[in-house]
Short mmCIF file of all heavy atoms in Angstrom, two decimals:
data_model
loop_
_atom_site.label_atom_id
_atom_site.label_comp_id
_atom_site.label_asym_id
_atom_site.label_seq_id
_atom_site.Cartn_x
_atom_site.Cartn_y
_atom_site.Cartn_z
N ASN B 826 84.86 94.67 133.78
CA ASN B 826 85.60 95.21 132.63
C ASN B 826 85.96 96.68 132.76
O ASN B 826 86.97 97.12 132.23
CB ASN B 826 84.80 95.00 131.35
CG ASN B 826 84.75 93.53 130.98
OD1 ASN B 826 85.78 92.89 130.83
ND2 ASN B 826 83.55 92.99 130.89
N ILE B 827 85.11 97.46 133.42
CA ILE B 827 85.36 98.90 133.49
C ILE B 827 85.54 99.38 134.94
O ILE B 827 86.59 99.92 135.30
CB ILE B 827 84.19 99.71 132.86
CG1 ILE B 827 83.87 99.19 131.45
CG2 ILE B 827 84.50 101.20 132.88
CD1 ILE B 827 84.75 99.71 130.34
N ILE B 828 84.52 99.14 135.76
CA ILE B 828 84.51 99.76 137.09
C ILE B 828 85.68 99.29 137.95
O ILE B 828 86.38 100.10 138.55
CB ILE B 828 83.16 99.48 137.79
CG1 ILE B 828 82.01 100.12 137.00
CG2 ILE B 828 83.16 100.03 139.22
CD1 ILE B 828 80.62 99.78 137.49
N GLU B 829 85.93 97.99 137.96
CA GLU B 829 87.00 97.48 138.82
C GLU B 829 88.38 97.89 138.34
O GLU B 829 89.35 97.81 139.07
CB GLU B 829 86.90 95.95 138.93
CG GLU B 829 85.76 95.52 139.84
CD GLU B 829 85.56 94.01 139.86
OE1 GLU B 829 86.47 93.29 139.39
OE2 GLU B 829 84.49 93.57 140.32
N ARG B 830 88.47 98.32 137.09
CA ARG B 830 89.77 98.77 136.57
C ARG B 830 89.93 100.28 136.65
O ARG B 830 90.93 100.83 136.18
CB ARG B 830 89.90 98.35 135.10
CG ARG B 830 89.96 96.84 134.96
CD ARG B 830 90.03 96.45 133.50
NE ARG B 830 89.93 95.00 133.38
CZ ARG B 830 90.01 94.36 132.23
NH1 ARG B 830 90.18 95.03 131.12
NH2 ARG B 830 89.92 93.06 132.20
N SER B 831 88.91 100.96 137.17
CA SER B 831 88.97 102.42 137.22
C SER B 831 89.45 102.89 138.59
O SER B 831 89.17 102.25 139.60
CB SER B 831 87.58 103.01 136.95
OG SER B 831 87.11 102.55 135.72
N PRO B 832 90.16 104.02 138.61
CA PRO B 832 90.67 104.52 139.89
C PRO B 832 89.60 105.22 140.71
O PRO B 832 88.63 105.74 140.16
CB PRO B 832 91.74 105.52 139.45
CG PRO B 832 91.26 106.01 138.12
CD PRO B 832 90.54 104.86 137.47
N THR B 833 89.77 105.22 142.01
CA THR B 833 88.90 105.98 142.90
C THR B 833 89.70 107.15 143.44
O THR B 833 90.81 106.97 143.91
CB THR B 833 88.45 105.08 144.07
OG1 THR B 833 87.79 103.94 143.53
CG2 THR B 833 87.49 105.81 145.00
N VAL B 834 89.14 108.34 143.31
CA VAL B 834 89.86 109.52 143.81
C VAL B 834 89.04 110.20 144.89
O VAL B 834 87.94 110.70 144.64
CB VAL B 834 90.17 110.52 142.66
CG1 VAL B 834 90.90 111.74 143.22
CG2 VAL B 834 90.99 109.86 141.58
N PHE B 835 89.59 110.19 146.09
CA PHE B 835 88.99 110.88 147.24
C PHE B 835 89.92 112.05 147.53
O PHE B 835 91.05 111.86 147.98
CB PHE B 835 88.90 109.91 148.41
CG PHE B 835 88.43 110.52 149.70
CD1 PHE B 835 87.25 111.24 149.77
CD2 PHE B 835 89.16 110.34 150.88
CE1 PHE B 835 86.81 111.78 150.97
CE2 PHE B 835 88.72 110.89 152.08
CZ PHE B 835 87.55 111.60 152.12
N PHE B 836 89.48 113.28 147.20
CA PHE B 836 90.38 114.44 147.23
C PHE B 836 91.20 114.58 148.52
O PHE B 836 92.42 114.78 148.45
CB PHE B 836 89.61 115.74 146.96
CG PHE B 836 89.08 115.83 145.56
CD1 PHE B 836 87.72 115.91 145.31
CD2 PHE B 836 89.95 115.84 144.48
CE1 PHE B 836 87.23 115.99 144.02
CE2 PHE B 836 89.46 115.93 143.18
CZ PHE B 836 88.09 115.99 142.95
N PRO B 837 90.57 114.49 149.70
CA PRO B 837 91.37 114.69 150.92
C PRO B 837 92.49 113.66 151.07
O PRO B 837 93.53 113.96 151.65
CB PRO B 837 90.34 114.55 152.04
CG PRO B 837 89.05 114.91 151.40
CD PRO B 837 89.14 114.38 150.00
N ALA B 838 92.29 112.44 150.53
CA ALA B 838 93.35 111.44 150.61
C ALA B 838 94.49 111.81 149.66
O ALA B 838 95.66 111.49 149.92
CB ALA B 838 92.79 110.06 150.25
N SER B 839 94.16 112.49 148.55
CA SER B 839 95.18 112.86 147.58
C SER B 839 95.95 114.11 147.99
O SER B 839 97.16 114.17 147.87
CB SER B 839 94.54 113.11 146.21
OG SER B 839 93.69 112.03 145.86
N PHE B 840 95.21 115.13 148.47
CA PHE B 840 95.90 116.41 148.76
C PHE B 840 95.84 116.82 150.23
O PHE B 840 96.35 117.87 150.59
CB PHE B 840 95.28 117.59 147.98
CG PHE B 840 94.83 117.27 146.60
CD1 PHE B 840 93.49 117.40 146.25
CD2 PHE B 840 95.74 116.86 145.62
CE1 PHE B 840 93.06 117.11 144.95
CE2 PHE B 840 95.31 116.59 144.34
CZ PHE B 840 93.98 116.70 144.00
N GLY B 841 95.14 116.10 151.05
CA GLY B 841 94.94 116.55 152.43
C GLY B 841 93.67 117.39 152.52
O GLY B 841 93.21 117.94 151.52
N TRP B 842 93.11 117.48 153.73
CA TRP B 842 91.84 118.20 153.90
C TRP B 842 91.93 119.69 153.58
O TRP B 842 91.06 120.21 152.87
CB TRP B 842 91.28 117.99 155.32
CG TRP B 842 90.46 116.74 155.40
CD1 TRP B 842 90.83 115.54 155.92
CD2 TRP B 842 89.13 116.55 154.90
NE1 TRP B 842 89.84 114.62 155.80
CE2 TRP B 842 88.77 115.20 155.18
CE3 TRP B 842 88.21 117.37 154.25
CZ2 TRP B 842 87.53 114.68 154.82
CZ3 TRP B 842 86.97 116.84 153.90
CH2 TRP B 842 86.65 115.52 154.18
N PRO B 843 92.93 120.43 154.10
CA PRO B 843 92.93 121.88 153.82
C PRO B 843 92.94 122.18 152.33
O PRO B 843 92.15 123.03 151.86
CB PRO B 843 94.23 122.36 154.49
CG PRO B 843 94.54 121.33 155.51
CD PRO B 843 94.05 120.04 154.95
N ALA B 844 93.78 121.48 151.57
CA ALA B 844 93.86 121.74 150.13
C ALA B 844 92.57 121.33 149.43
O ALA B 844 92.09 122.01 148.52
CB ALA B 844 95.05 121.00 149.53
N ALA B 845 91.96 120.22 149.88
CA ALA B 845 90.72 119.75 149.26
C ALA B 845 89.60 120.78 149.49
O ALA B 845 88.84 121.09 148.57
CB ALA B 845 90.31 118.39 149.83
N LEU B 846 89.53 121.31 150.71
CA LEU B 846 88.49 122.30 151.00
C LEU B 846 88.72 123.58 150.20
O LEU B 846 87.77 124.16 149.67
CB LEU B 846 88.47 122.62 152.50
CG LEU B 846 87.90 121.51 153.38
CD1 LEU B 846 88.09 121.85 154.86
CD2 LEU B 846 86.41 121.31 153.10
N LEU B 847 89.98 123.99 150.11
CA LEU B 847 90.30 125.20 149.34
C LEU B 847 89.94 125.01 147.87
O LEU B 847 89.34 125.88 147.24
CB LEU B 847 91.79 125.53 149.51
CG LEU B 847 92.24 126.86 148.90
CD1 LEU B 847 91.62 128.02 149.67
CD2 LEU B 847 93.76 126.98 148.91
N LEU B 848 90.29 123.83 147.36
CA LEU B 848 89.97 123.49 145.97
C LEU B 848 88.47 123.58 145.73
O LEU B 848 88.00 124.15 144.74
CB LEU B 848 90.48 122.08 145.67
CG LEU B 848 90.38 121.59 144.24
CD1 LEU B 848 91.45 122.24 143.40
CD2 LEU B 848 90.52 120.07 144.19
N TYR B 849 87.69 123.03 146.66
CA TYR B 849 86.23 123.06 146.55
C TYR B 849 85.72 124.50 146.57
O TYR B 849 84.88 124.88 145.77
CB TYR B 849 85.61 122.24 147.69
CG TYR B 849 85.15 120.88 147.25
CD1 TYR B 849 86.00 120.02 146.56
CD2 TYR B 849 83.86 120.43 147.51
CE1 TYR B 849 85.57 118.77 146.15
CE2 TYR B 849 83.42 119.18 147.12
CZ TYR B 849 84.28 118.36 146.44
OH TYR B 849 83.85 117.12 146.03
N LEU B 850 86.25 125.28 147.52
CA LEU B 850 85.79 126.66 147.66
C LEU B 850 86.04 127.43 146.37
O LEU B 850 85.13 128.10 145.84
CB LEU B 850 86.54 127.33 148.83
CG LEU B 850 86.05 128.72 149.21
CD1 LEU B 850 84.62 128.66 149.75
CD2 LEU B 850 86.97 129.35 150.26
N ILE B 851 87.25 127.29 145.83
CA ILE B 851 87.58 128.00 144.59
C ILE B 851 86.69 127.51 143.45
O ILE B 851 86.15 128.31 142.68
CB ILE B 851 89.08 127.80 144.25
CG1 ILE B 851 89.95 128.48 145.31
CG2 ILE B 851 89.41 128.37 142.87
CD1 ILE B 851 91.42 128.16 145.21
N ALA B 852 86.50 126.20 143.37
CA ALA B 852 85.68 125.64 142.29
C ALA B 852 84.26 126.18 142.35
O ALA B 852 83.70 126.58 141.32
CB ALA B 852 85.68 124.12 142.38
N PHE B 853 83.68 126.23 143.55
CA PHE B 853 82.30 126.69 143.65
C PHE B 853 82.18 128.18 143.31
O PHE B 853 81.26 128.59 142.62
CB PHE B 853 81.74 126.43 145.06
CG PHE B 853 81.34 125.01 145.26
CD1 PHE B 853 81.92 124.24 146.24
CD2 PHE B 853 80.39 124.41 144.44
CE1 PHE B 853 81.56 122.91 146.43
CE2 PHE B 853 80.02 123.09 144.60
CZ PHE B 853 80.61 122.33 145.61
N ILE B 854 83.14 128.98 143.78
CA ILE B 854 83.08 130.42 143.47
C ILE B 854 83.21 130.64 141.96
O ILE B 854 82.43 131.38 141.36
CB ILE B 854 84.18 131.19 144.25
CG1 ILE B 854 83.87 131.15 145.74
CG2 ILE B 854 84.28 132.64 143.76
CD1 ILE B 854 84.95 131.74 146.62
N LEU B 855 84.17 129.95 141.35
CA LEU B 855 84.37 130.11 139.91
C LEU B 855 83.14 129.68 139.12
O LEU B 855 82.70 130.37 138.20
CB LEU B 855 85.59 129.31 139.45
CG LEU B 855 86.95 129.90 139.80
CD1 LEU B 855 88.07 129.02 139.28
CD2 LEU B 855 87.09 131.32 139.23
N LEU B 856 82.56 128.53 139.50
CA LEU B 856 81.38 128.04 138.78
C LEU B 856 80.21 129.00 138.95
O LEU B 856 79.44 129.23 138.02
CB LEU B 856 81.01 126.64 139.27
CG LEU B 856 81.92 125.51 138.80
CD1 LEU B 856 81.54 124.20 139.48
CD2 LEU B 856 81.84 125.34 137.28
N TYR B 857 80.08 129.56 140.15
CA TYR B 857 78.99 130.49 140.42
C TYR B 857 79.12 131.75 139.54
O TYR B 857 78.17 132.19 138.90
CB TYR B 857 79.00 130.87 141.90
CG TYR B 857 77.70 131.48 142.38
CD1 TYR B 857 76.70 130.67 142.90
CD2 TYR B 857 77.47 132.84 142.30
CE1 TYR B 857 75.50 131.21 143.32
CE2 TYR B 857 76.27 133.39 142.71
CZ TYR B 857 75.29 132.57 143.23
OH TYR B 857 74.09 133.10 143.64
N LEU B 858 80.36 132.28 139.50
CA LEU B 858 80.60 133.48 138.68
C LEU B 858 80.40 133.16 137.20
O LEU B 858 79.81 133.94 136.45
CB LEU B 858 82.01 134.01 138.92
CG LEU B 858 82.28 134.55 140.33
CD1 LEU B 858 83.73 134.97 140.48
CD2 LEU B 858 81.36 135.73 140.64
N LEU B 859 80.86 131.98 136.80
CA LEU B 859 80.71 131.56 135.41
C LEU B 859 79.23 131.48 135.03
O LEU B 859 78.83 131.92 133.95
CB LEU B 859 81.38 130.19 135.22
CG LEU B 859 81.41 129.63 133.80
CD1 LEU B 859 82.37 130.44 132.95
CD2 LEU B 859 81.83 128.16 133.81
N ALA B 860 78.40 130.97 135.97
CA ALA B 860 76.97 130.84 135.71
C ALA B 860 76.34 132.21 135.51
O ALA B 860 75.54 132.41 134.59
CB ALA B 860 76.29 130.10 136.86
#
Side-chain angles (χ1 to χ4, degrees):
Chain B
N826 290 304
I827 308 278
I828 297 173
E829 285 174 15
R830 294 177 186 182
S831 303
T833 302
V834 179
F835 174 54
F836 292 118
S839 310
F840 323 118
W842 274 102
L846 288 172
L847 187 67
L848 186 75
Y849 259 51
L850 187 65
I851 294 170
F853 282 120
I854 292 173
L855 285 180
L856 286 173
Y857 198 91
L858 294 177
L859 184 70

